[in-house]
Amino acid sequence: MRSILFAVYLVLFGAVLAGCQSADYLAEKAFHRANKVLAHIHHIYERSDTKDPSILEPAVDAFQNIVEKYPSSPKSPESLFVISQIRRQQGNMEAARGTLKKVIQNYTGVGSWAEDARYRIGQLHEEEDHWAEAEQAYWEVVDYHPLKPKGLYAPIYILNHYKSKKDTAGEQKAYQKAVDHFQKLIKETGPIELSVGAKYFLGIIHASAAHWQEAREVWIQAANEIKESPYSPLCLLAAAEVSWRNGEKEKASELYDLFYANYSNHGLATRVSVRRAQLYHDMSQYAKEREWLAKALEQYFSGNTDAQADIQFMIGKSYQDEGLWTEADKIYREIELNYPNSGAALQVPLMTAVYQETHGQAEEAKRLIDEAINRYERLGEDQPESPAAEQARRLVNEAYAMKGDWQEVLANVDEDMEKETVTTRKGSWLFLKALIAENRLGDKQQAQSLFESFLKEYPQHPLVKLARTRLDGLTTSTT
């Protein structure tokens, strides 16, 4: 009898499981169709003169159908996020937030949907310059999801907001609230791996508020507490960086040594090996820098040709900065011979020009720079889609900058902006133009106009806050 009942149970369980899989499959198909509807409507909408927001309603209906028919599918909360984004595009921010509240109501405890929804609500408030409501939403992320990624990060974001606004009182209040929160969280979680994560973020809070010694102390303590925690190597690296940044280079060196003693196979070890060498360079310990670069080349970059060229270039520059030009020139010539199309090889003429300029051979330096510019421009014409051409486009501006020809740099930036199709990168070029006008041409009026254009044309760009800060500084200095 038991065996019969067990067989029946297996059949029923298999039927239920098959039903769930079928529902998920149907939801996936429906989501794919809804995305095609949205893409088609967006295509029409972007080319429309009227920009009537109601044209997007069929897409809302398509995603809402998924929410209603397949509520248990992961595509249901994902559809609600898409609907929220459409409402935002329509200018109905209240409806956009209301849709996200449905995610919180129905999907708390399911993945990171509720956490992401609360954080997104804060961002939507912030887009409307309603900081008080945004901050409240961000603190709700902290309260409801304290050990999730956004719950750990939100206090740092809030603190940095007040810093960017130069609101000292708000910054101090946010700092103290964040410290109290993390200290309470650490006490409640106890000595477990998650508490190391809380200490890592507490250290970032201290460092953001310029309490770098407290930050380092927290990070070192956390790293020693549970070495197996994924946050422990991050704590060591953060402690090394904050020590270096604040002039304690020997302490930074000691902490890097500790990182490699415990985590030489860590995913960040490759990148940090170069950073380690840069510290030796900053300490003017060039022989040790080159020793470490050679070790990194053998251990981490043996199978990467581009990286090998870059490391060799760093070795050559180390010799040059130490004043050993013969050794540097030998390395540079080897790079041009062994890695002729690498980014490192393209930089060699500029480094040689620097040497000539600093040794009283200005005409020879100018000749090398002009030849380099011609080479970079030819490469862009002959192989426009190659990685080398992309590097050459960057270096041609550097070469003109070495000549002090900032108008030519601006002309190149305008050309790159014209060709650029990705909105974010296009905005970055405009931001660069504003910086050049401000810092290189000394034209505050032009810089102010360019920053204003940037903020108007790219209101969602990652550099918006920095642009506002630069613009505020220019406005203050001209009044």
Side-chain angles (χ1 to χ4, degrees), residues 83-84 87-88 92-100:
I83 293 170
S84 175
R87 293 304 186 207
R88 171 187 169 275
N92 191 342
M93 303 295 270
E94 192 59 38
R97 289 189 289 269
T99 302
L100 293 170

Side-chain angles (χ1 to χ4, degrees), residues 251-307:
K251 183 64 176 179
S253 180
E254 175 189 322
L255 289 165
Y256 278 129
D257 285 343
L258 191 57
F259 171 84
Y260 279 101
N262 290 285
Y263 308 106
S264 59
N265 294 320
H266 191 273
L268 290 173
T270 301
R271 192 179 308 171
V272 176
S273 65
V274 177
R275 188 70 175 148
R276 182 76 172 86
Q278 290 172 325
L279 173 59
Y280 279 131
H281 188 95
D282 194 31
M283 297 167 74
S284 299
Q285 296 183 20
Y286 300 110
K288 280 192 175 182
E289 176 196 11
R290 293 190 291 271
E291 179 185 337
W292 189 263
L293 286 171
K295 190 186 302 182
L297 191 60
E298 180 182 352
Q299 186 170 354
Y300 296 115
F301 299 103
S302 59
N304 187 329
T305 303
D306 289 338

Side-chain angles (χ1 to χ4, degrees), residues 148-165:
K148 292 291 189 70
K150 287 186 173 65
L152 290 165
Y153 171 71
I156 298 166
Y157 182 82
I158 294 167
L159 177 61
N160 285 335
H161 168 85
Y162 285 108
K163 286 185 66 176
S164 69
K165 296 294 183 181

Side-chain angles (χ1 to χ4, degrees), residues 343 346-347 349-350 368-381 388-416 419 429 432 436:
L346 292 174
Q347 295 178 72
L350 300 186
L368 287 170
I369 293 172
D370 288 339
E371 286 182 357
I373 290 172
N374 290 333
R375 177 185 178 187
Y376 300 150
E377 290 177 344
R378 283 199 312 272
L379 189 57
E381 292 170 1
E390 185 176 346
Q391 173 80 344
R393 280 194 290 272
R394 289 195 294 269
L395 289 173
V396 75
N397 284 335
E398 187 174 331
Y400 278 120
M402 289 174 68
K403 292 179 66 174
D405 193 346
W406 292 103
Q407 292 297 343
E408 192 65 41
V409 174
L410 284 175
N412 285 337
V413 170
D414 283 334
E415 187 178 328
D416 287 326
K419 294 177 182 176
W429 284 119
L432 177 61
I436 291 173

Side-chain angles (χ1 to χ4, degrees), residues 175 202-203 206-207 210-219:
Y175 167 71
L202 173 58
H206 283 312
H211 300 305
W212 66 272
Q213 289 173 320
E214 290 93 330
R216 183 173 66 185
E217 183 180 338
V218 168
W219 283 326

